[in-house]
Amino acid sequence: MSALFSVIMFMLALTAAPVFAGEKAVLSLFDDTPQEARSSEPEQDEGGLFSFLGIKMPQGDDSPFAKTKMPDTIEETIKLADSGNVQAQLLLGYSYLYGENGLKPDYTKAFDYYGMAALQNDPAGLNNLGSLYYGGIGVARSPAKAAILFAKAAELGNIEAAVNLGFMHISGNGAKLDKTLAMDYFEKAAAGGNPVAKFMTGYAYYTGSLRPQDYTKAAPLLKDAADAGIDEAQVVLSDIYINGRGFPQNYNNAVKYLRQAASQGSTEAMMSLASILVAGEKYNKNINFAHVLYNLAAVRGVASAPAKRQVLEAKMKIDEVLQAQQRAEMFKESPSEMTSYIRQTFGTNIRAFVKP
């Protein structure tokens, strides 16, 4: 957690986004359903997420730049920005930051154009300028100035800024440690639809840490976060379905979300799913698939996995063991873009922040 908002993360965000296999292609490795029974529906393009601390790649009508028709040339856009047009300033800040739209990366110019937008109290400009101050990109690093800018952006309704402040205050990294205030920011951003904030808020309600325990509030928030692709949310949501807390007990749904999290490389999901498949009490027994999961977890350092794998091998035929080993060899973990973003930005266990 000490690497929260680290400069390394920012530089990772500036590189080309990795290409991940489609969810259905990955889940087929974890699918014991006969091939002929599987759905033939086409894969849905859910769009990409390319951001660091809230600076996002503009996409279609959701882009702030879609509100204003931009000139055909960069030269005209620069003139428009210099005359005070906020959307042109944001576009140029983004373009210089990422080296888009025919421009080479120039962090100083990115800082200048985001600064122009921030001076006009534009929420996105304030948030993005705060991000540059936090990472020391195009300017000397100053978490204190970043926090001020984030606070102003959040006050003006920028939900990404609220999330940024939430993590700063809940970790004490760059801002005063104040977990109550952090949860207030998360709850505000969750109401605005931010998936990360929904997870943090939902998990607080689920555990009773930093918020009164309330399963009926927790469950829908965690489901939204899980459906957005957050692996930790998928693991917690599976526990909700297993125990019937907030939602009715449903092992089919629990297994569904554990499969999704396991496909992203979550060893916690692998071990939980394997336990369900070995028991065969609430879901169909499948020790061959459980062997695959224990094998994958063992490779990733789970201390108890090798012994559990060995117990299953004693119950399997040689050809079944070989087939299970081959399936494990084929596995390529495929974190969602949301999970990758969270891991790079906030760490691999954001649940750990939600504690008194």
Side-chain angles (χ1 to χ4, degrees):
M1 296 305 175
S2 62
L4 181 68
F5 301 143
S6 67
V7 176
I8 294 175
M9 183 272 144
F10 286 100
M11 298 316 294
L12 282 171
L14 296 174
T15 62
V19 177
F20 302 119
E23 179 180 287
K24 290 187 179 180
V26 174
L27 290 182
S28 65
L29 178 60
F30 284 128
D31 193 354
D32 50 306
T33 304
Q35 182 69 40
E36 61 273 12
R38 296 176 186 161
S39 171
S40 59
E41 294 179 1
E43 295 183 16
Q44 300 296 314
D45 181 3
E46 298 179 355
L49 175 72
F50 189 4
S51 63
F52 65 97
L53 282 178
I55 297 181
K56 296 182 178 179
M57 180 178 291
Q59 299 181 55
D61 293 336
D62 293 333
S63 166
F65 314 126
K67 299 175 184 176
T68 301
K69 180 170 171 41
M70 289 293 104
D72 294 330
T73 68
I74 283 294
E75 290 75 18
E76 292 175 308
T77 304
I78 290 174
K79 288 181 181 179
L80 192 60
D82 291 342
S83 71
N85 184 282
V86 170
Q87 303 306 323
Q89 292 163 355
L90 292 174
L91 177 58
L92 287 171
Y94 171 86
S95 299
Y96 279 118
L97 182 64
Y98 290 105
E100 294 283 344
N101 298 312
L103 295 175
K104 294 181 180 180
D106 187 323
Y107 302 148
T108 299
K109 288 184 178 179
F111 175 84
D112 289 343
Y113 279 109
Y114 279 136
M116 291 179 188
L119 283 173
Q120 299 189 63
N121 279 331
D122 178 76
L126 288 161
N127 178 66
N128 296 353
L129 188 66
S131 300
L132 298 186
Y133 266 116
Y134 198 101
I137 299 177
V139 67
R141 188 170 189 267
S142 176
K145 290 181 180 179
I148 293 170
L149 290 162
F150 289 150
K152 181 63 175 177
E155 181 184 337
L156 293 171
N158 187 279
I159 60 175
E160 286 79 15
V163 173
N164 297 339
L165 274 173
F167 274 104
M168 291 179 76
H169 283 296
I170 206 167
S171 65
N173 194 324
K176 179 183 177 181
L177 180 65
D178 188 334
K179 295 195 172 189
T180 300
L181 179 60
M183 290 310 307
D184 290 343
Y185 278 120
F186 286 136
E187 195 135 23
K188 179 179 180 180
N194 184 278
V196 181
K198 285 185 176 184
F199 175 69
M200 299 298 283
T201 305
Y203 189 65
Y205 279 119
Y206 189 66
T207 61
S209 297
L210 308 182
R211 281 290 186 266
Q213 191 169 58
D214 189 329
Y215 295 140
T216 59
K217 287 184 178 180
L221 288 167
L222 290 168
K223 186 176 187 303
D224 285 349
D227 288 339
I230 300 175
D231 61 339
E232 289 188 65
Q234 292 163 352
V235 171
V236 177
L237 185 62
S238 72
D239 189 63
I240 284 177
Y241 281 119
I242 287 170
N243 293 290
R245 295 170 177 163
F247 288 146
Q249 188 180 57
N250 189 321
Y251 266 75
N252 282 331
N253 282 340
V255 168
K256 167 188 168 183
Y257 284 103
L258 285 173
R259 287 178 185 269
Q260 291 180 15
S263 75
Q264 298 195 61
S266 168
T267 55
E268 186 177 358
M270 292 172 186
M271 295 298 289
S272 296
L273 180 55
S275 296
I276 292 173
L277 297 177
V278 169
E281 295 173 357
K282 302 286 186 176
Y283 194 82
N284 293 334
K285 190 170 186 174
N286 189 332
I287 64 172
N288 291 18
F289 185 22
H291 183 284
V292 174
L293 293 165
Y294 284 140
N295 201 359
L296 292 170
V299 170
R300 287 159 178 76
V302 178
S304 62
K308 292 179 180 294
R309 179 185 59 195
Q310 189 172 1
V311 169
L312 295 185
E313 286 179 357
K315 303 176 182 180
M316 298 167 64
K317 297 177 181 178
I318 293 177
D319 60 332
E320 291 175 332
V321 172
L322 293 174
Q323 185 180 33
Q325 290 174 345
Q326 184 177 20
R327 291 179 71 185
E329 286 279 352
M330 291 170 56
F331 175 72
K332 296 261 190 303
E333 69 180 61
S334 181
S336 70
E337 292 179 344
M338 181 65 78
T339 293
S340 296
Y341 163 68
I342 291 171
R343 289 175 183 174
Q344 292 174 355
T345 312
F346 308 122
T348 58
N349 181 13
I350 58 175
R351 283 171 286 178
F353 289 119
V354 184
K355 58 185 179 182

